[in-house]
Amino acid sequence: MADLTLTDQNFQAEVLDSKTPVLVDFWAEWCAPCRIVSPIVEELGKEYGDKLKVGKLNVDENQISNKYGIMSIPSLLVFKNGQVVKTMIGAQSKDSFKKEIDQVLGN
Amino acid sequence: MDKVYDVIILGSGPAGLTAAIYTTRADLKTLVVAGGKWGGQLQLTTLVENFPGFPEGIQGPDLMQNMRKQAEKFGTDFVDEDFTEADFSSKHFKITAGSKTYQGKSVIIATGADTKWLGVPGEAEKIGRGVSSCAPCDAAFFRDKKVIVVGGGDSAMEEALVLTKFASSVTVVHRSEALRASEIMQKRAKENPKIKFIFNTQVVEVLGEAKVERVKLKNNKTGETSEMPVDGVFVAIGHMPNTKAFRDIDLDEKGFVKVHEHYLTNKDGVFVAGDVHDSEYKQAITAAGFGCAAALEAEKWLDEQPS
C-alpha cells in the first residue's frame, strides 16, 4: 500500500483502528540512518501490497512517539489490532526486516 | 551466477568506496556489497572537520553519499545487503548476500568495525531504551534529561558535545585517569559547562525496568560501588573489527585481519583495507588511503594472473 504520512491526529484512525496490520517508521530529518531505512520502508510497502499498511511518523512534529517509548530512531513498529506486535530498532537490511515482519503477519 | 566480477568489495565505508572508485576507473568490473546499513561509521557522525578538502567541514553522511555517487558514476554495482557467506576456496571467490551469490576474481575486505558494547548486565536489552552508541541519532530524545557517556577517546568527546545540545547534564565516565582524546576535542569538552567528568570509574550494570533509570558505577581505585540516576547511557569505548563472517582469514591477536605484503590477507587474491585491519589510526582519511592502496594492489594482482 502506498506511503502514508502519520500524525498525532490521524494515528488512531490509520493505525490503531486499522483492519490491516500497520508498519510505522518513526523518523526525523536529522537522523542519517533514517535516510537509509526510508527507501527500504517504501519498497516494503510496495512488496507487501494489501497485506501491510506502511506509514511514516516524524518524531519532531508529533508527540505520539513518546507513548511508545521511542528513544532511538529509526524504529519500525508493527501494529496489529491497535497493539504493538513487533519493534525493530536501528537500520537493518530489507531481508532482515522482512523476516521479522513475516513472523507477525503469520505467513 | 554467470557474471564474474573482477573485484568484489565487502563494505561501503571510506575504505570500500575509495577502493571502488579506483578499481572502476581502472576498468575493473566491481561490485560493492554495501551491507544493510551502508556507509559505515561516518553515517553515525555529524560534522567531519579533518577530512582534507572540506575547509568548513562536511557532514559524515553527506561525505559518504558523495563517495557513493562518485563510485556509481564510474560504474560500480551495489548490493545493499549484508553478506552472509564468503567462500574463498574456489578459483572464483563466492560471496553470498541477500538471496544471491556473486562471483569475483578478487575480493577486498573492507568491513570496518562496529561499536563495542560494555557487555555488562542490563545493557543489551536496553539498546534503544536509553542505551545508545549514536548521539547524533538519538540525542534529541534526551531533551532536559541526564545522560552519561562512557569512554575517553575522540568519539566519546564528540558524543558528549552533541548531547549538550539537548540533555540537561552530560557526564563522561572514563575507566582510567586520563582521556585518550585528542587535545582539541578534550579542550572543547572540558570547556563546555554542561559536561562533567568522572575518572577511574566504570559502569558495571545498567538498571531500570523498561528503560534506563540508573547505572551502577565502580571506582577502579577504591573498589567502591555507587548508583547514579540517569536516563541515557551512550557507549563510546571503541570498536570491534567486523570479521565474524570470515572462516579462513587469519586474524591477529586483537581480532583484526592480519595484513601481509601488498595488503593481501593469508588468501591469495583477497585484500584488506580500513578499520577491519587497522587498530592504530582508525580515521576516515586513513581508511580511504588503505582502500586506494588495496585497489591498486588488486589491480596489479589481477594483471599478473594467467587468463
Side-chain angles (χ1 to χ4, degrees), chain A residues 7 9 13 18 21 36 38 40 42 49 51 74 89 97 102:
Chain A
T7 62
Q9 287 72 39
S18 170
I36 305 176
S38 167
I40 298 178
E42 281 161 29
K51 283 192 282 186
I89 295 166
F97 283 134
D102 287 344

Side-chain angles (χ1 to χ4, degrees), chain A:
Chain A
M1 216 176 263
D3 240 29
L4 173 71
T5 302
L6 296 167
T7 62
D8 288 346
Q9 287 72 39
N10 69 6
F11 201 81
Q12 180 74 34
E14 293 285 0
V15 179
L16 301 178
D17 296 341
S18 170
K19 291 208 170 64
T20 36
V22 191
L23 175 72
V24 182
D25 173 14
F26 293 85
W27 71 285
E29 278 304 333
W30 43 262
C31 158
C34 295
R35 277 179 248 156
I36 305 176
V37 166
S38 167
I40 298 178
V41 169
E42 281 161 29
E43 285 172 33
L44 289 172
K46 283 188 199 122
E47 287 179 28
Y48 281 98
D50 292 340
K51 283 192 282 186
L52 185 72
K53 193 194 262 191
V54 170
K56 294 182 181 179
L57 189 125
N58 184 321
V59 299
D60 284 340
E61 293 164 4
N62 297 284
Q63 302 302 317
I64 197 131
S65 48
N66 297 334
K67 190 178 157 197
Y68 294 99
I70 304 293
M71 293 174 94
S72 179
I73 50 174
S75 277
L76 302 190
L77 271 57
V78 181
F79 289 80
K80 220 172 167 180
N81 303 320
Q83 301 293 320
V84 179
V85 291
K86 182 60 92 184
T87 302
M88 298 169 278
I89 295 166
Q92 297 172 29
S93 69
K94 188 162 87 178
D95 274 5
S96 78
F97 283 134
K98 278 169 86 170
K99 261 181 222 150
E100 302 231 26
I101 293 167
D102 287 344
Q103 278 174 13
V104 293
L105 288 189
N107 51 2

Side-chain angles (χ1 to χ4, degrees), chain B:
Chain B
M1 192 78 187
D2 303 320
K3 188 170 182 179
V4 178
Y5 285 97
D6 294 310
V7 188
I8 296 181
I9 297 168
L10 304 176
S12 56
L17 295 182
T18 304
I21 292 166
Y22 272 80
T23 54
T24 43
R25 281 177 52 86
D27 220 14
L28 299 172
K29 269 198 249 81
T30 302
L31 173 72
V32 170
V33 179
K37 334 172 234 184
W38 74 273
Q41 294 168 43
L42 281 183
Q43 292 282 22
L44 306 179
T45 63
T46 53
L47 196 65
V48 178
E49 291 180 307
N50 55 10
F51 201 91
F54 301 94
E56 310 303 324
I58 179 166
Q59 292 291 323
D62 292 342
L63 181 59
M64 295 324 296
Q65 194 66 250
N66 289 351
M67 283 192 201
R68 179 165 176 154
K69 249 188 237 158
Q70 200 171 346
E72 280 171 338
K73 182 176 128 188
F74 295 114
T76 308
D77 289 345
F78 279 84
V79 198
D80 289 321
E81 297 281 356
D82 293 327
F83 77 95
T84 46
E85 216 192 318
D87 176 2
F88 299 127
S89 60
S90 49
K91 179 170 173 265
H92 288 161
F93 305 132
K94 292 192 187 76
I95 304 295
T96 306
S99 50
K100 289 203 187 103
T101 298
Y102 304 89
Q103 294 190 76
K105 293 177 192 164
S106 67
V107 165
I108 298 174
I109 295 174
T111 46
D114 269 338
T115 302
K116 192 155 130 195
W117 296 100
L118 300 171
V120 300
E123 177 190 49
E125 60 269 29
K126 291 189 194 74
I127 293 173
R129 304 254 176 270
V131 174
S132 171
S133 67
C134 180
C137 312
D138 300 338
F141 295 104
F142 296 87
R143 194 178 293 280
D144 302 324
K145 301 219 159 126
K146 290 175 73 165
V147 300
I148 60 167
V149 175
V150 188
D154 273 353
S155 52
M157 299 306 112
E158 199 205 328
E159 299 272 293
L161 287 162
V162 169
L163 283 159
T164 57
K165 293 184 192 129
F166 299 95
S168 59
S169 86
V170 180
T171 306
V172 174
V173 178
H174 185 45
R175 64 181 172 178
S176 74
E177 201 145 303
L179 299 171
R180 278 180 291 113
S182 59
E183 288 300 327
I184 183 166
M185 292 303 285
Q186 284 199 33
K187 191 162 170 265
R188 275 188 208 165
K190 285 176 175 162
E191 281 172 359
N192 192 304
K194 266 195 190 171
I195 302 180
K196 285 178 291 214
F197 292 87
I198 301 181
F199 292 104
N200 297 310
T201 299
Q202 65 190 91
V203 175
V204 288
E205 193 173 354
V206 181
L207 301 158
E209 285 294 311
K211 60 187 174 72
V212 173
E213 290 165 12
R214 283 161 295 134
V215 283
K216 191 188 264 183
L217 302 176
K218 182 180 166 207
N219 185 307
N220 288 333
K221 282 206 159 153
T222 62
E224 265 173 64
T225 59
S226 58
E227 283 189 13
M228 178 178 178
V230 294
D231 304 290
V233 178
F234 286 78
V235 180
I237 55 166
H239 292 86
M240 297 236 295
N242 292 321
T243 54
K244 245 190 282 165
F246 302 116
R247 270 170 293 130
D248 30 18
I249 295 294
D250 287 351
L251 307 178
D252 67 14
E253 58 287 349
K254 286 195 228 157
F256 292 81
V257 171
K258 217 183 213 170
V259 194
H260 296 250
E261 262 184 73
H262 305 290
Y263 295 93
L264 272 169
T265 63
N266 56 309
K267 292 267 170 199
D268 203 26
V270 180
F271 300 81
V272 65
D275 283 12
V276 71
H277 84 265
D278 164 31
S279 61
E280 189 69 35
Y281 308 110
K282 300 181 278 190
Q283 302 301 303
I285 189 68
T286 49
F290 287 130
C292 166
L296 294 172
E297 293 294 349
E299 188 187 339
K300 216 189 301 169
W301 182 87
L302 285 164
D303 259 354
E304 289 162 2
Q305 300 309 301
S307 51

